[in-house]
Amino acid sequence: MAESAAALPGRTDLLMSFDPRTGEQLAQYPVQGGAEVTRAVRTARATQNWWGELDFGERRSLLLDWRSHIARRSGELVEILRNETGKPETDAALEVMLAVENLDWAARNAERALGRKRLRSGWFTRNQYASVGYLPLGVIGVLGAWNNPVFTPMGSIAYAMAAGNTVVFKPHEITTGVGLWLAASWTRVVPDYPVLQAVTGDARTATALCGAEVDKIAYAGPEAGGREVIAQCARSLTPVVVEHSGKGSMIVHVDAALDEAAEAAVFGAMANSGQNASGIQRCYVADSVFDDFLARAADRAAKLRPGADNRAAYGPMINADQVDVVRSQVRDAIARGGHAVLGGLDSFRDPYVEPIVLAEVPEESIAITGEGIGPVLVVNRVSDLADAVTRVNAAGNGIAVTVFTRDIVSAEFIAAQLKVGVVTVNSSTAFTGIPALPFGGVGEYGQGHSHGQQGLQEFSRTMSIARRRFRAPVRLSTFDRRPGHLRLAKAAFRLRHGR
């Protein structure tokens, strides 16, 4: 939510976007204020009357048409994504494909997740027909992230639209072009109904959207920004879905397949230049395999090369402000007694950061307690699984934890003790490619869920209905109840619950 450094000098109504690889200016966009945001929300409110009244099948058909349109013209979106983030083509294409998979799943499964279902009635209410269904909330405001500007917001946009809501999307100022392309692609498919609109700008625009009487705000980004969004929305009692951007942890047990674990750790830490909320910041490794694992991870990381071309393992730091954050974390880790196994303070060649592997970093270091954004992997030694669980829960700033072990029963036991939303076993970030799998944080890390059935219900309101089917033989919900009916009910109650 911090105000963009991309604002044009001397102007308050424009901001510029840049290619982070070269610093070249890509485009300039208006900073839309309260009036423009209010107008977009009013348009969304009017459009929702039409969109929300369509049945699930009609919405599914239009959303699948949109999906097909994005897929056919995905090359355009990939190019914009590459220009605004500097990602290699493979990473950009994978992000677009995963986003489209989520759109497809949300469209196809909304009716199953949200459609009206019959519920069993109680013993005393057998004459009642009970059912529950989910209705749209109305207008959803989505505040986009810069690190995965297609995949992350689509985890809210697609699910909100499939649930019958309209969306006003404020992309991050660094990746404004991506957001505008997504909104324009919807307009090309359904030109007369702006179910998805994009508003452009900086923190002032985001603030205006939080105060524009939307029915829910979905935010993904740094923890400080999430707290600011929550505080702003609290003034109007607007509910929020918050996903913070810090990476998670890995636990490596004594029986782990170390090559596979090292590969997963390095990919989780370094992919997208370490700018994935689903990635890995810290590895807690059993003492007996610590040295072997560390050597394998460092060896794999040493083979990676950041750069601007498609042969590079990963691209630049997308947000220039984050370079200093990563540098300060590495400096603090070393100053507190951690040691650099690979790279270190000489790994920074703005806007690129060479792979860094740190070991034996004290748990109080900001390299562990802070949000991990950058190609840095911390590897620490633990005495046993209980020690690893304690450290993971103490750090508490990750959406997911990965456990590498051949003992699946132990892995599931560990999962129950971890205070995170997702636990993966013997793989790292692959869970993000499962649209049906909901994920969300715990405690301050996140509020609410994205993806899956819970992601659809996140943008819905519950509507329960009970109707009388026939006159009850034992009538208790009346002042005209008969003494015999009450005696019969008491006897049945004792038989059912008093034994």
Side-chain angles (χ1 to χ4, degrees), residues 283 285 287 290-291 294 333-334 336-341 357-363 365 368 377-382 391:
C283 280
V285 184
D287 181 71
F290 177 84
D291 292 332
L294 181 60
I334 295 172
R336 291 178 182 270
H339 61 275
V341 179
V357 177
L358 305 174
E360 305 285 20
V361 176
E363 296 294 314
S365 169
I368 289 180
L377 176 65
V378 174
V379 183
N380 278 356
R381 189 189 310 265
V382 292
R391 296 198 196 195

Side-chain angles (χ1 to χ4, degrees), residues 102 105-106 109-110 112-114 134 137 140 154-165 216 218 241 435-440 447-461:
N102 273 278
W105 191 92
N109 289 276
R112 179 190 59 79
L114 305 177
Y134 298 86
L137 289 175
I140 306 301
M154 190 61 84
S156 297
I157 293 170
Y159 292 79
M161 291 172 66
N165 303 280
K216 199 164 203 175
V241 183
L437 185 73
F439 59 91
Q447 299 186 21
H449 289 80
S450 58
H451 301 209
Q453 178 174 314
Q454 285 84 346
L456 288 164
Q457 292 175 351
E458 197 68 61
F459 299 105
S460 308
R461 62 184 179 90

Side-chain angles (χ1 to χ4, degrees), residues 222-239:
E223 181 179 344
R227 290 184 177 183
E228 192 173 340
V229 168
I230 292 170
Q232 290 172 357
C233 290
R235 297 170 189 152
S236 57
L237 299 181
T238 302

Side-chain angles (χ1 to χ4, degrees), residues 251 382-393 414 417:
I251 296 173
V382 292
S383 57
D384 52 28
L385 288 175
D387 184 18
V389 169
T390 298
R391 296 198 196 195
V392 169
N393 287 341
I414 294 168
Q417 300 176 63

Side-chain angles (χ1 to χ4, degrees), residues 129-160:
Y129 182 96
S131 65
V132 64
Y134 298 86
L135 301 177
L137 289 175
V139 179
I140 306 301
V142 177
L143 301 175
W146 50 264
N147 54 339
N148 289 300
V150 179
F151 173 75
T152 299
M154 190 61 84
S156 297
I157 293 170
Y159 292 79

